[in-house]
Amino acid sequence: MTAQTLLRRATGLSVSKSVAERAVGQRMEQTGFSDSAAYLQALTPAEMTQLIELVVVPESWLFRDPQAFYATVELVQERWARGRATRILSIPCAGGEEPYSMAMALRDGGVPKQAFSIDAYDLSPGCIERAQAGVYGRNAFRAQDVAFRERYFTHVANDAYRIIDALREQVTFRQGNLLQFDTATYSRHYDVIFCRNLLIYFDKPTTRTAIQNLSALLADDGMLLAGYAEVPSFCQNGFTTLQFRQAFALKKATAAPVTPVQVAPLPALRTLRSVPPAPRRAAVAATSSAASVAPAALRTRPVSVPSSPPAPAAQAAQADLLAEARLLADRGQLREAGDKCHAHLARVPEAAEAYFILGIINELAGKMDLADDYWRRCIYLQPDHYEALCHLSLLAERNGNHTAAATLKARAARIYQRRQASN
């Protein structure tokens, strides 16, 4: 069994082959193994934990996407006014930045400590250890206003700050995996669940399982806070959105069935035979204008709309190719999925969705430059492609390009709000 398969079974994460092999190489150096097959054969639970530490993504910061915290404060205040305490879950919690931000926001909102409790889980024991210590460096304080640092942290060394004990005591940290959570014991236990930017690392079957577990944990009248790229997945699996501006809040869809958010396909265009690569940029472009500028070859070539749509049989064949590509990508058959996308593009060169799927395929393969290139082709052809904008924004965040991330996120948020207003 490959390292990639072992890690996927242990964590549910879609780890690329290159990332898995790099992690195994690091652990082999540290444990004295010279043969990867022998290392994997001798893998113990303790060693698997060390291997997982090298592939998890603990990146976060305090008051990341603050609207989610403000929406939660409003809910907790309303419930406490009716004499009801609120139970909050943060999963995954990374190094504790999210649950501590929630505790600070509630304190700022004048909410007494007996009005809420916060549980926080993460797959990584290392993350839990850092969260319990509550010590953060410069990168954790990326919010525009960091006045909260003076109120709730003490300076300990250089750029390091420790959160005050009164807030540390408000959060209970535990190591745990959402996919293995005891949903029977904690059925409908939580009134608010933060699960942001986890599903983007899962394939579709694992995403469905994760959402089912979250639904089981969430009270029927509870609120779930998701990452902005994950809202469509929740809407396709039993949730519907709440009207909190840019909080990306959802509730269980207990009334009429919720129609998933879908992007309408572009009309078929005949004159373009190929889409040239987008111009290379350092990491991700820093402005929205750079993100939306068309390649010169596309700007100068005329586009004509056909007088009649493709025959139904041709449309069905084209849709089948993309459906097959998605299925193959979910199974980890990335090369075959890519071949289906390219076959579709040979018939419909302007198919934005095919470029979006190619971006996902290359992201899974660890080829982030290619993923960025394909997603930019996608939003050139379809500027309101919500999911492509979300993925580009996340990629910009990972590359440390926060200006580009904010611009792309704002574009995605406007599209999200327009759809909500039209529903």
Side-chain angles (χ1 to χ4, degrees), residues 153-168:
F153 288 82
T154 56
H155 183 242
V156 290
N158 297 326
D159 291 327
Y161 296 82
R162 178 182 288 116
I163 197 163
I164 61 174
D165 290 343
L167 287 180
R168 284 204 303 157

Side-chain angles (χ1 to χ4, degrees), residues 92-157:
C93 67
E97 295 89 344
E98 182 174 81
Y100 284 140
S101 296
M102 191 67 257
M104 286 186 280
L106 289 165
R107 177 73 68 91
D108 284 342
V111 179
K113 63 180 183 181
Q114 62 269 28
F116 67 95
S117 62
I118 303 175
D119 291 340
Y121 287 79
D122 199 275
L123 178 68
S124 163
C127 284
I128 294 300
E129 185 177 347
R130 290 193 295 275
Q132 290 172 330
V135 177
Y136 299 97
R138 179 184 303 172
N139 285 340
F141 299 95
R142 302 184 199 173
Q144 291 183 345
D145 180 5
V146 294
F148 64 87
R149 187 170 64 190
E150 301 302 318
R151 298 194 299 273
Y152 298 121
F153 288 82
T154 56
H155 183 242
V156 290

Side-chain angles (χ1 to χ4, degrees), residues 266-274 301-311 314 318 345-351:
L266 288 178
L269 304 174
R270 287 181 178 170
T271 57
L272 295 185
R273 296 188 177 275
S274 63
R301 195 176 299 184
V303 176
S304 62
V305 180
S307 57
S308 59
Q318 294 163 8
L345 287 167
R347 301 179 183 183
V348 189
E350 309 80 23

